[in-house]
Short mmCIF file of all heavy atoms in Angstrom, two decimals:
data_model
loop_
_atom_site.label_atom_id
_atom_site.label_comp_id
_atom_site.label_asym_id
_atom_site.label_seq_id
_atom_site.Cartn_x
_atom_site.Cartn_y
_atom_site.Cartn_z
N GLU H 845 -63.08 -29.10 26.47
CA GLU H 845 -62.06 -30.13 26.86
C GLU H 845 -60.81 -29.99 26.00
O GLU H 845 -60.96 -29.66 24.83
CB GLU H 845 -62.68 -31.51 26.77
CG GLU H 845 -63.80 -31.83 27.74
CD GLU H 845 -64.04 -33.32 27.80
OE1 GLU H 845 -63.04 -34.06 28.03
OE2 GLU H 845 -65.21 -33.77 27.74
N SER H 846 -59.69 -30.26 26.59
CA SER H 846 -58.48 -30.22 25.81
C SER H 846 -58.16 -31.63 25.30
O SER H 846 -57.16 -32.27 25.64
CB SER H 846 -57.32 -29.69 26.70
OG SER H 846 -57.18 -30.53 27.84
N LYS H 847 -59.10 -32.13 24.46
CA LYS H 847 -59.00 -33.45 23.87
C LYS H 847 -59.20 -33.41 22.37
O LYS H 847 -59.64 -32.39 21.81
CB LYS H 847 -60.01 -34.39 24.50
CG LYS H 847 -59.79 -34.62 25.99
CD LYS H 847 -60.38 -35.89 26.51
CE LYS H 847 -59.93 -36.23 27.92
NZ LYS H 847 -60.05 -37.59 28.26
N MET H 848 -58.92 -34.46 21.67
CA MET H 848 -59.16 -34.63 20.26
C MET H 848 -60.44 -35.48 20.16
O MET H 848 -60.75 -36.33 21.02
CB MET H 848 -58.06 -35.36 19.59
CG MET H 848 -56.70 -34.64 19.63
SD MET H 848 -56.61 -33.15 18.63
CE MET H 848 -56.76 -33.79 17.00
N CYS H 849 -61.20 -35.25 19.05
CA CYS H 849 -62.39 -36.04 18.84
C CYS H 849 -62.46 -36.43 17.36
O CYS H 849 -62.19 -35.58 16.49
CB CYS H 849 -63.60 -35.15 19.19
SG CYS H 849 -65.10 -36.07 19.55
N VAL H 850 -62.79 -37.65 17.10
CA VAL H 850 -62.82 -38.16 15.72
C VAL H 850 -64.14 -38.89 15.53
O VAL H 850 -64.69 -39.59 16.43
CB VAL H 850 -61.71 -39.21 15.48
CG1 VAL H 850 -61.87 -39.91 14.13
CG2 VAL H 850 -60.35 -38.59 15.58
N GLY H 851 -64.80 -38.61 14.42
CA GLY H 851 -66.05 -39.23 14.04
C GLY H 851 -65.97 -40.02 12.72
O GLY H 851 -65.53 -39.40 11.72
N VAL H 852 -66.38 -41.21 12.69
CA VAL H 852 -66.34 -42.05 11.47
C VAL H 852 -67.77 -42.36 11.09
O VAL H 852 -68.58 -42.94 11.87
CB VAL H 852 -65.62 -43.40 11.70
CG1 VAL H 852 -65.63 -44.24 10.45
CG2 VAL H 852 -64.25 -43.05 12.21
N VAL H 853 -68.22 -41.95 9.91
CA VAL H 853 -69.53 -42.20 9.41
C VAL H 853 -69.65 -43.66 8.87
O VAL H 853 -68.79 -44.10 8.13
CB VAL H 853 -69.90 -41.21 8.23
CG1 VAL H 853 -71.20 -41.65 7.56
CG2 VAL H 853 -69.97 -39.81 8.79
N VAL H 854 -70.69 -44.31 9.38
CA VAL H 854 -71.05 -45.65 8.79
C VAL H 854 -72.27 -45.47 7.96
O VAL H 854 -73.32 -45.05 8.42
CB VAL H 854 -71.30 -46.63 9.97
CG1 VAL H 854 -71.71 -48.02 9.40
CG2 VAL H 854 -70.05 -46.78 10.82
N ALA H 855 -72.12 -45.83 6.69
CA ALA H 855 -73.19 -45.59 5.69
C ALA H 855 -73.77 -46.89 5.20
O ALA H 855 -73.16 -47.95 5.35
CB ALA H 855 -72.69 -44.77 4.49
N SER H 856 -74.94 -46.79 4.58
CA SER H 856 -75.58 -47.98 4.00
C SER H 856 -74.92 -48.37 2.67
O SER H 856 -74.13 -47.59 2.07
CB SER H 856 -77.06 -47.75 3.83
OG SER H 856 -77.27 -46.56 3.11
N LYS H 857 -75.21 -49.56 2.25
CA LYS H 857 -74.49 -50.21 1.07
C LYS H 857 -74.44 -49.34 -0.19
O LYS H 857 -73.43 -49.26 -0.87
CB LYS H 857 -75.20 -51.56 0.74
CG LYS H 857 -74.51 -52.33 -0.39
CD LYS H 857 -75.22 -53.65 -0.63
CE LYS H 857 -76.61 -53.42 -1.25
NZ LYS H 857 -77.26 -54.70 -1.79
N ASP H 858 -75.60 -48.76 -0.57
CA ASP H 858 -75.66 -48.08 -1.86
C ASP H 858 -75.44 -46.55 -1.74
O ASP H 858 -75.63 -45.85 -2.79
CB ASP H 858 -76.99 -48.34 -2.50
CG ASP H 858 -77.17 -49.83 -2.79
OD1 ASP H 858 -76.25 -50.48 -3.29
OD2 ASP H 858 -78.28 -50.41 -2.49
N TYR H 859 -75.05 -46.07 -0.58
CA TYR H 859 -74.80 -44.62 -0.48
C TYR H 859 -73.53 -44.26 -1.23
O TYR H 859 -72.59 -45.02 -1.19
CB TYR H 859 -74.64 -44.26 1.03
CG TYR H 859 -74.36 -42.82 1.30
CD1 TYR H 859 -75.36 -41.88 1.26
CD2 TYR H 859 -73.04 -42.41 1.60
CE1 TYR H 859 -75.10 -40.55 1.49
CE2 TYR H 859 -72.81 -41.05 1.85
CZ TYR H 859 -73.83 -40.13 1.78
OH TYR H 859 -73.57 -38.82 2.02
N PRO H 860 -73.45 -43.15 -1.96
CA PRO H 860 -74.49 -42.04 -2.08
C PRO H 860 -75.33 -42.14 -3.31
O PRO H 860 -75.90 -41.17 -3.74
CB PRO H 860 -73.64 -40.76 -2.09
CG PRO H 860 -72.40 -41.24 -2.87
CD PRO H 860 -72.21 -42.74 -2.52
N PHE H 861 -75.37 -43.33 -3.97
CA PHE H 861 -75.95 -43.45 -5.28
C PHE H 861 -77.44 -43.67 -5.25
O PHE H 861 -78.21 -43.13 -6.10
CB PHE H 861 -75.27 -44.61 -6.01
CG PHE H 861 -73.81 -44.47 -6.14
CD1 PHE H 861 -72.97 -45.26 -5.36
CD2 PHE H 861 -73.21 -43.52 -6.94
CE1 PHE H 861 -71.58 -45.14 -5.43
CE2 PHE H 861 -71.86 -43.41 -7.03
CZ PHE H 861 -71.02 -44.21 -6.21
N LYS H 862 -77.99 -44.40 -4.32
CA LYS H 862 -79.41 -44.65 -4.24
C LYS H 862 -79.77 -45.20 -2.83
O LYS H 862 -78.90 -45.50 -2.04
CB LYS H 862 -79.83 -45.70 -5.31
CG LYS H 862 -79.19 -47.05 -5.10
CD LYS H 862 -79.64 -48.04 -6.23
CE LYS H 862 -79.04 -49.40 -5.99
NZ LYS H 862 -79.49 -50.39 -7.08
N ASN H 863 -81.06 -45.29 -2.58
CA ASN H 863 -81.50 -45.80 -1.31
C ASN H 863 -81.20 -47.29 -1.19
O ASN H 863 -81.21 -48.01 -2.15
CB ASN H 863 -83.00 -45.63 -1.14
CG ASN H 863 -83.38 -44.17 -1.05
OD1 ASN H 863 -82.61 -43.32 -0.56
ND2 ASN H 863 -84.59 -43.80 -1.46
N SER H 864 -80.88 -47.71 0.04
CA SER H 864 -80.54 -49.11 0.30
C SER H 864 -81.68 -49.81 1.01
O SER H 864 -82.45 -49.12 1.66
CB SER H 864 -79.30 -49.17 1.14
OG SER H 864 -78.18 -48.48 0.55
N PRO H 865 -81.80 -51.09 0.97
CA PRO H 865 -82.79 -51.81 1.77
C PRO H 865 -82.58 -51.57 3.26
O PRO H 865 -81.42 -51.45 3.68
CB PRO H 865 -82.56 -53.28 1.37
CG PRO H 865 -81.78 -53.23 0.08
CD PRO H 865 -80.95 -52.03 0.13
N LYS H 866 -83.66 -51.60 4.01
CA LYS H 866 -83.47 -51.50 5.46
C LYS H 866 -82.77 -52.75 6.01
O LYS H 866 -83.06 -53.83 5.62
CB LYS H 866 -84.84 -51.35 6.16
CG LYS H 866 -85.49 -49.97 6.04
CD LYS H 866 -86.72 -49.87 6.88
CE LYS H 866 -87.29 -48.47 6.89
NZ LYS H 866 -88.42 -48.30 7.78
N GLU H 867 -81.86 -52.52 6.98
CA GLU H 867 -81.07 -53.59 7.58
C GLU H 867 -81.10 -53.41 9.10
O GLU H 867 -80.89 -52.34 9.57
CB GLU H 867 -79.64 -53.56 7.01
CG GLU H 867 -79.54 -53.84 5.54
CD GLU H 867 -79.88 -55.26 5.10
OE1 GLU H 867 -80.03 -56.13 5.98
OE2 GLU H 867 -79.91 -55.51 3.87
N LYS H 868 -81.26 -54.60 9.75
CA LYS H 868 -81.24 -54.54 11.22
C LYS H 868 -79.86 -54.26 11.75
O LYS H 868 -78.84 -54.86 11.23
CB LYS H 868 -81.79 -55.87 11.78
CG LYS H 868 -81.89 -56.00 13.26
CD LYS H 868 -82.46 -57.32 13.71
CE LYS H 868 -82.43 -57.47 15.18
NZ LYS H 868 -82.94 -58.85 15.60
N ILE H 869 -79.71 -53.41 12.76
CA ILE H 869 -78.46 -53.03 13.32
C ILE H 869 -78.22 -53.76 14.68
O ILE H 869 -79.12 -53.84 15.53
CB ILE H 869 -78.38 -51.54 13.60
CG1 ILE H 869 -78.60 -50.73 12.32
CG2 ILE H 869 -77.01 -51.13 14.19
CD1 ILE H 869 -78.75 -49.25 12.50
N THR H 870 -77.07 -54.32 14.86
CA THR H 870 -76.68 -54.87 16.15
C THR H 870 -75.37 -54.14 16.61
O THR H 870 -74.55 -53.82 15.79
CB THR H 870 -76.46 -56.39 16.15
OG1 THR H 870 -75.39 -56.67 15.21
CG2 THR H 870 -77.69 -57.15 15.70
N ILE H 871 -75.32 -53.87 17.87
CA ILE H 871 -74.22 -53.17 18.44
C ILE H 871 -73.71 -53.88 19.71
O ILE H 871 -74.48 -54.10 20.61
CB ILE H 871 -74.60 -51.69 18.85
CG1 ILE H 871 -75.08 -50.98 17.58
CG2 ILE H 871 -73.41 -50.98 19.44
CD1 ILE H 871 -75.68 -49.58 17.86
N GLU H 872 -72.41 -54.27 19.67
CA GLU H 872 -71.82 -54.97 20.81
C GLU H 872 -71.47 -53.94 21.88
O GLU H 872 -71.04 -52.80 21.57
CB GLU H 872 -70.57 -55.75 20.36
CG GLU H 872 -70.90 -56.83 19.32
CD GLU H 872 -69.61 -57.38 18.73
OE1 GLU H 872 -68.55 -56.92 19.11
OE2 GLU H 872 -69.69 -58.23 17.80
N SER H 873 -71.56 -54.33 23.11
CA SER H 873 -71.15 -53.47 24.20
C SER H 873 -69.62 -53.29 24.26
O SER H 873 -68.88 -54.27 24.05
CB SER H 873 -71.62 -54.00 25.56
OG SER H 873 -73.00 -54.02 25.58
N LEU H 874 -69.15 -52.13 24.50
CA LEU H 874 -67.74 -51.86 24.68
C LEU H 874 -67.32 -51.97 26.12
O LEU H 874 -68.14 -51.77 27.01
CB LEU H 874 -67.34 -50.52 24.11
CG LEU H 874 -67.56 -50.27 22.62
CD1 LEU H 874 -67.06 -48.90 22.26
CD2 LEU H 874 -66.89 -51.34 21.76
N LYS H 875 -66.05 -52.21 26.35
CA LYS H 875 -65.63 -52.25 27.80
C LYS H 875 -65.77 -50.85 28.41
O LYS H 875 -65.61 -49.88 27.71
CB LYS H 875 -64.16 -52.73 27.91
CG LYS H 875 -63.17 -51.81 27.28
CD LYS H 875 -61.77 -52.43 27.42
CE LYS H 875 -60.75 -51.47 26.85
NZ LYS H 875 -59.35 -51.96 26.97
N GLU H 876 -65.99 -50.85 29.71
CA GLU H 876 -66.18 -49.57 30.40
C GLU H 876 -64.94 -48.75 30.34
O GLU H 876 -63.80 -49.27 30.32
CB GLU H 876 -66.53 -49.82 31.92
CG GLU H 876 -67.93 -50.37 32.07
CD GLU H 876 -68.60 -49.82 33.27
OE1 GLU H 876 -68.08 -48.84 33.84
OE2 GLU H 876 -69.54 -50.36 33.69
N GLY H 877 -65.11 -47.45 30.26
CA GLY H 877 -63.97 -46.51 30.18
C GLY H 877 -63.53 -46.17 28.81
O GLY H 877 -62.71 -45.28 28.63
N THR H 878 -64.05 -46.89 27.77
CA THR H 878 -63.75 -46.53 26.37
C THR H 878 -64.44 -45.19 26.04
O THR H 878 -65.63 -45.04 26.17
CB THR H 878 -64.25 -47.59 25.41
OG1 THR H 878 -63.63 -48.84 25.78
CG2 THR H 878 -63.79 -47.25 23.99
N GLU H 879 -63.65 -44.18 25.67
CA GLU H 879 -64.19 -42.86 25.37
C GLU H 879 -64.74 -42.85 23.98
O GLU H 879 -64.10 -42.28 23.06
CB GLU H 879 -63.14 -41.79 25.58
CG GLU H 879 -62.97 -41.42 27.02
CD GLU H 879 -62.42 -40.05 27.18
OE1 GLU H 879 -61.21 -39.85 27.05
OE2 GLU H 879 -63.18 -39.07 27.48
N SER H 880 -65.92 -43.46 23.80
CA SER H 880 -66.57 -43.46 22.50
C SER H 880 -68.03 -43.55 22.64
O SER H 880 -68.54 -43.99 23.65
CB SER H 880 -66.01 -44.53 21.58
OG SER H 880 -66.29 -45.81 22.11
N HIS H 881 -68.78 -43.16 21.61
CA HIS H 881 -70.24 -43.27 21.57
C HIS H 881 -70.68 -43.25 20.16
O HIS H 881 -69.92 -43.02 19.25
CB HIS H 881 -70.89 -42.17 22.40
CG HIS H 881 -70.70 -40.79 21.79
ND1 HIS H 881 -69.70 -39.96 22.16
CD2 HIS H 881 -71.46 -40.10 20.86
CE1 HIS H 881 -69.77 -38.83 21.48
NE2 HIS H 881 -70.86 -38.88 20.72
N ILE H 882 -71.98 -43.41 19.95
CA ILE H 882 -72.56 -43.42 18.67
C ILE H 882 -73.59 -42.26 18.53
O ILE H 882 -74.44 -42.10 19.45
CB ILE H 882 -73.26 -44.72 18.30
CG1 ILE H 882 -72.24 -45.82 18.20
CG2 ILE H 882 -74.05 -44.64 16.98
CD1 ILE H 882 -72.83 -47.23 18.08
N SER H 883 -73.53 -41.46 17.49
CA SER H 883 -74.59 -40.48 17.16
C SER H 883 -75.37 -41.10 15.96
O SER H 883 -74.82 -41.39 14.91
CB SER H 883 -74.00 -39.18 16.73
OG SER H 883 -73.54 -38.50 17.92
N PHE H 884 -76.63 -41.31 16.22
CA PHE H 884 -77.54 -42.02 15.24
C PHE H 884 -78.15 -40.99 14.28
O PHE H 884 -78.52 -39.86 14.64
CB PHE H 884 -78.59 -42.78 15.92
CG PHE H 884 -78.08 -43.94 16.68
CD1 PHE H 884 -77.81 -43.84 18.04
CD2 PHE H 884 -77.89 -45.21 16.08
CE1 PHE H 884 -77.33 -44.94 18.79
CE2 PHE H 884 -77.40 -46.29 16.79
CZ PHE H 884 -77.12 -46.15 18.21
N ALA H 885 -78.23 -41.37 12.95
CA ALA H 885 -78.73 -40.50 11.95
C ALA H 885 -79.88 -41.18 11.17
O ALA H 885 -81.04 -41.07 11.51
CB ALA H 885 -77.60 -40.06 11.08
N GLY H 886 -79.51 -41.94 10.09
CA GLY H 886 -80.52 -42.59 9.25
C GLY H 886 -80.98 -43.92 9.83
O GLY H 886 -80.66 -44.97 9.25
N VAL H 887 -81.68 -43.84 10.90
CA VAL H 887 -82.19 -45.07 11.57
C VAL H 887 -83.67 -44.95 11.85
O VAL H 887 -84.18 -43.88 12.16
CB VAL H 887 -81.38 -45.38 12.87
CG1 VAL H 887 -79.94 -45.68 12.60
CG2 VAL H 887 -81.57 -44.30 13.89
N SER H 888 -84.31 -46.08 11.78
CA SER H 888 -85.75 -46.16 12.21
C SER H 888 -85.87 -47.30 13.27
O SER H 888 -85.00 -48.13 13.45
CB SER H 888 -86.67 -46.55 10.97
OG SER H 888 -86.20 -47.71 10.37
#
């Protein structure tokens, strides 16, 4: 595609120094047509 793509990492509180406590994630729905998505990494 002839487009630009930007990725913003969302990290836990104590990164990169030590492990953080597990925290529940909530994600609000975005309006249709928004060209964005989430790639999940450190999640259980």
Side-chain angles (χ1 to χ4, degrees):
E845 293 198 50
S846 56
K847 295 203 172 201
M848 300 289 293
C849 201
V850 173
V852 180
V853 171
V854 178
S856 52
K857 181 180 69 170
D858 298 316
Y859 180 76
F861 304 106
K862 61 180 182 179
N863 293 331
S864 306
K866 283 190 178 184
E867 297 289 351
K868 184 178 174 181
I869 302 169
T870 60
I871 301 171
E872 299 169 1
S873 297
L874 297 184
K875 65 179 182 181
E876 288 218 16
T878 304
E879 279 206 278
S880 63
H881 67 268
I882 294 173
S883 284
F884 293 95
V887 297
S888 56

